[in-house]
């Protein structure tokens, strides 16, 4: 049985590209699981948990910017929900990068505060995922048309949106945990 | 394996054993050997439970995928059987 990468396989019900992405996300979920686990260890063991109002604004800002970016983009391209999610994802990643830079410039101590170290970590991991997504997107763009069997634009956009949504969920979950607990 | 490689692997193994036996960094597991009720054992328990929850979720998704594949295979096989039997019947009708 020979099935092209972008075609749905009869045995799995997914295309190979979809299955590859889901496997990557499963591995990524475990990576974030390790982060959450470390957070649980540090938070439960901490006798004193430093949490200034700046930290609350920082964590909340990261999540709010994600929602805001999506909401701003939605009316313009409402026919394309995938594009909205991707736009929100990239905006959130850029906002995270800006936020981190601003916090470092303000001299917020990461080395002496576990809370701030975790805020930086979650923001940085989100940024790293965005960078990976951009690099993969660029590679696909440069290779476009050079391979005989490739995903069409809509399928590619859909897969990218799944990736962006899952990453936002993971990183947003971490930041929300930092705020709530 | 060449002799040089054998010596290297043995040397590395000895070095690892020596490090494990003399290092002060190794501690007993706080969950199994720790004093119950202390902050350390409670925090390690929390971390373990969090990791266990995530692992269960991911492995559950994997199990669900396998079950889904099995069900899909059954449905596909049933469809194939039905279509082949109807095809045979149609062919017999044509021949008769």
């Amino acid at each position: 049985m020979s099935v092209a990468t972008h075609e749905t396989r009869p045995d799995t019900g997914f295309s190979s590209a979809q299955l590859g992405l889901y496997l990557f996300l499963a591995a990524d979920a475990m990576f974030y699981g390790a982060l959450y686990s470390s957070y649980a260890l540090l938070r439960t063991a901490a006798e004193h948990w430093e949490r200034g109002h700046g930290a609350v604004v920082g964590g909340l800002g990261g999540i709010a910017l994600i929602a805001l970016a999506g909401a701003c983009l939605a009316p313009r391209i409402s026919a394309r929900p995938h594009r909205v999610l991707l736009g929100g994802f990239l905006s959130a990643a850029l906002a995270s990068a800006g936020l981190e830079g601003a916090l470092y410039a303000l001299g917020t101590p990461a080395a002496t505060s576990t809370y701030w170290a975790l805020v930086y970590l979650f923001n940085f991991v989100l940024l790293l995922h965005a960078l990976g997504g951009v690099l993969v997107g660029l590679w696909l763009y440069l290779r476009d048309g050079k391979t005989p069997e490739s995903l069409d634009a809509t399928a590619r956009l859909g897969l990218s949106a799944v990736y962006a949504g899952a990453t936002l969920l993971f990183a947003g979950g971490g930041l929300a945990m930092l705020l709530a607990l | 394996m060449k002799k040089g490689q054998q010596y290297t692997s043995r040397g590395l193994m000895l070095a690892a054993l020596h490090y494990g036996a003399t290092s002060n960094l190794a501690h007993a597991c706080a969950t199994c050997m720790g004093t119950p009720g202390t902050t350390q054992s409670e925090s390690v328990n929390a971390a373990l439970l969090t990791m266990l929850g995530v692992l269960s979720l991911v492995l559950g998704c994997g199990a669900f995928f396998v079950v889904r594949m099995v069900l899909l295979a059954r449905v596909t096989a049933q469809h194939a059987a039905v279509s082949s039997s109807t095809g045979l019947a149609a062919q017999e009708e044509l021949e008769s």
Side-chain angles (χ1 to χ4, degrees):
Chain A
M1 183 178 65
S2 172
V3 184
T5 313
H6 60 285
E7 285 173 7
T8 306
R9 290 176 61 97
D11 49 359
T12 59
F14 297 114
S15 69
S16 297
Q18 279 176 317
L19 199 59
L21 180 71
Y22 296 150
L23 282 174
F24 171 78
L25 287 180
D28 213 32
M30 291 210 244
F31 167 72
Y32 271 99
L35 284 184
Y36 295 158
S37 180
S38 309
Y39 167 73
L41 178 77
L42 293 168
R43 180 71 185 88
T44 323
E47 288 175 9
H48 169 67
W49 192 251
E50 185 199 345
R51 192 197 289 180
H53 67 279
V56 177
V57 170
L60 191 63
I63 298 168
L65 279 167
I66 295 167
L68 194 68
C72 288
L73 286 166
R76 295 185 185 176
I77 39 176
S78 55
R80 295 273 189 192
H82 294 155
R83 283 191 203 279
V84 175
L85 195 52
L86 285 177
F89 175 60
L90 286 176
S91 312
L94 284 174
S96 294
L99 186 71
E100 283 211 12
L103 290 173
Y104 264 112
L106 288 171
T108 310
T112 53
S113 160
T114 315
Y115 179 85
W116 276 104
L118 286 169
V119 169
Y120 285 132
L121 183 67
F122 276 111
N123 273 325
F124 178 72
V125 170
L126 175 62
L127 187 66
L128 209 62
H129 276 77
L131 189 68
V134 168
L135 283 176
V136 171
L138 200 65
W139 182 75
L140 284 172
Y141 175 74
L142 291 174
R143 282 178 60 89
D144 204 17
K146 288 183 184 172
T147 47
E149 290 175 358
S150 60
L151 291 169
D152 61 16
T154 316
R156 197 179 293 169
L157 206 61
L159 284 180
S160 308
V162 170
Y163 169 76
T167 306
L168 283 182
L169 189 73
F170 295 153
L175 285 170
M177 241 171 28
L178 278 169
L179 279 175
L181 304 175
Chain B
M1 193 186 277
K2 289 178 184 173
K3 259 194 174 176
Q5 284 177 327
Q6 275 183 348
Y7 288 136
T8 311
S9 62
R10 277 179 198 170
L12 283 173
M13 206 183 295
L14 278 174
L17 278 173
H18 173 73
Y19 180 75
T22 57
S23 171
N24 290 325
L25 293 172
H27 294 289
C29 167
T31 300
C32 313
M33 313 300 283
T35 318
T38 55
T39 316
Q40 196 187 15
S41 63
E42 274 178 11
S43 57
V44 175
N45 281 344
L48 276 176
L49 285 174
T50 311
M51 197 65 218
L52 210 60
V54 174
L55 280 177
S56 311
L57 195 72
V58 174
L59 293 178
C61 287
F64 172 73
F65 177 69
V66 171
V67 170
R68 186 179 171 275
M69 247 171 72
V70 170
L71 292 176
L72 203 64
R74 270 190 208 159
V75 170
T76 313
Q78 277 173 357
H79 275 286
V82 167
S83 61
S84 70
S85 64
T86 50
L88 277 174
Q91 201 174 358
E92 280 169 6
E93 267 182 31
L94 278 173
E95 282 171 1
S96 64

